[in-house]
Each structure stands twice: as C-alpha cells, then as structure tokens.
Amino acid sequence: NSILFFVVNDFVILPLAFISAYFMYKKILLANMFRVLFFLPSIISVVVLTMLFSFMFDSSIGIVDSFFELIGREDLIPALGWFGDSKTAMPVVLLYCIWAGIGSNVVLISGAMSRIPQEMIEAGKLDGLTFFKEMVKITLPLTGSLLATLMMMGVPVIFTLFLQPMLLTNGGPDGATYTIGLYIVSQIRTNSNLTIGATVGVICAAIGTPIVILLRKLVENTFPAYEY
C-alpha cells in the first residue's frame, strides 16, 4: 500500500498537475479562477478535507451514491459502504490523495512555467511549433528540474504517509489501507511501543536511502538542468 501511494504521487498526480498547469499557463478561459480552486485544498486542514470527502461517499447524504441511484446503477454501490469494503476502500483513499494533492503541484509548476522566456516560445512558433509540441519540446524540459525535485519529494511518502488513511478508514477494513507510517504511529499511540516504532523507522531509512539515490540519478538523466 505504501509503495502504491508513491506510484500515484509520482506517476498520476504529477502528470495531471503538469497538464493542468500547462493549460492554465496557456491562458485558457478562467485560468486564474482555476488556479485558485486548485490551490484551495492545500490551505484547508487535512481533517476538514477528509471530512468533506467522506461526506461525498456517505451512504445517506453522499452525492456519489445519489448519482448511482439516479442513473439506475445501485448495484455498483458497496453494501458495506465505500470505506467499509476492502475492494473499494483503497481506490477511494487514493482518489482522495489525487484530489487533495494535485493543487499545490499545479501552483508550483505554473510558477516555473511563467519564468520560461517568451522569446523561445515565439521562435518556436515561427518554426511551426504546435500547442502540444510546445508542451513536450519546450515546457517539459524547462520545468524538468522542478518536476525532478517533486518526484524526489514523493519518495518519503512510502514511509511517512499515514494521516489520510487514518482519518478516512483507520487502516481498515481488514488492513486494506494500512501503510508503514500508520503502522509506526499505531505502535506508538496505541501500544506505547517506542522500540518497534524506532526499529521500523531505522529499517525504512536503510531501505529508503538507496531508493532516493537511485531515483536521483534517474531523474537527473531524464530531466537535465537547463539555464534560461
């Protein structure tokens, strides 16, 4: 589960944030309003956000169940609730992470895109640069250093993410949404077992350090730094 959160962070949230930021960078209709809306989840308490999100999937007042009932697909609604079914609990928690995590990345990437010299864009257009070629050939390489940094910051998620699954499902049902971070917190808060928590932390550091070094080499080769 912990590795799955890392994969979602680096290979789902970041690409979605980059594409969203690019469309706003190209001044689509209501771009500034969308930028504010994307950033709102980043300034609201995680406790409040998880509460709002859980209300959406509530069996009595949630809009998700109401939507499925409206289209006549009640069979898709889990009998034990979205957070009570082991088949749907993890996907819904991941959906929350995508919903809440994309905003801050959009703002950071938008800032990096705004610093790209317009002379480069204009020169590319004279050579027949299209909308999507500009995104791939110019915007992506020139924001690559930031993307590499954000990818590196996603590695600690493997070992530290616990608050979202704890607030939404408390690791359940039957451990379907349990993470390494939640295990450490549970050992300390519930069992007052500092020894187990410290031991797992040291093991995570020993495992995480080679991962960080390897990923750093990979992203440096993939996203070389450009001066502009």
Side-chain angles (χ1 to χ4, degrees):
N1 288 342
S2 300
I3 294 175
L4 187 57
F5 280 107
F6 160 72
V7 172
V8 168
N9 182 81
D10 277 19
F11 300 103
V12 177
I13 294 178
L14 276 183
L16 288 176
F18 176 81
I19 294 172
S20 301
Y22 180 72
F23 275 91
M24 287 187 286
Y25 163 68
K26 298 307 292 182
K27 306 296 183 183
I28 63 169
L29 184 64
L30 303 176
N32 290 330
M33 185 190 73
F34 283 119
R35 187 175 286 109
V36 173
L37 290 176
F38 272 120
F39 190 62
L40 275 178
S42 303
I43 61 176
I44 299 176
S45 167
V46 176
V47 176
V48 176
L49 275 182
T50 51
M51 185 183 301
L52 292 173
F53 188 81
S54 62
F55 284 164
M56 293 170 56
F57 290 87
D58 188 88
S59 58
S60 57
I61 62 174
I63 61 173
V64 176
D65 284 12
S66 299
F67 171 76
F68 283 117
E69 291 171 358
L70 182 64
I71 63 175
R73 294 306 306 271
E74 296 88 348
D75 56 301
L76 297 178
I77 302 174
L80 299 176
W82 296 95
F83 296 107
D85 193 313
S86 58
K87 294 181 180 179
T88 59
M90 191 62 178
V92 173
V93 174
L94 291 174
L95 179 62
Y96 167 81
C97 292
I98 296 172
W99 174 67
I102 192 173
S104 57
N105 290 317
V106 166
V107 175
L108 292 173
I109 297 171
S110 296
M113 290 179 179
S114 66
R115 294 192 296 270
I116 297 176
Q118 290 302 307
E119 294 81 3
M120 299 181 65
I121 307 298
E122 294 171 359
K125 289 181 178 178
L126 291 175
D127 292 331
L129 192 68
T130 63
F131 181 86
F132 290 102
K133 282 187 178 180
E134 177 187 335
M135 180 175 68
V136 176
K137 300 293 185 180
I138 294 181
T139 309
L140 180 60
L142 292 183
T143 57
S145 297
L146 174 63
L147 295 176
T149 302
L150 293 175
M151 290 185 71
M152 293 293 299
M153 292 173 62
V155 176
V157 169
I158 302 175
F159 310 107
T160 61
L161 189 139
F162 74 94
L163 193 58
Q164 293 85 343
M166 184 179 74
L167 293 174
L168 289 171
T169 62
N170 199 29
D174 299 325
T177 58
Y178 225 64
T179 63
I180 296 173
L182 183 54
Y183 174 77
I184 296 174
V185 171
S186 298
Q187 290 298 317
I188 295 173
R189 293 183 65 227
T190 306
N191 302 326
S192 299
N193 198 333
L194 299 178
T195 303
I196 292 294
T199 302
V200 176
V202 172
I203 294 173
C204 290
I207 297 174
T209 301
I211 295 176
V212 170
I213 295 174
L214 180 62
L215 185 60
R216 181 179 179 183
K217 294 292 184 182
L218 179 62
V219 297
E220 284 179 351
N221 293 330
T222 306
F223 300 111
Y226 292 95
E227 297 293 335
Y228 58 90

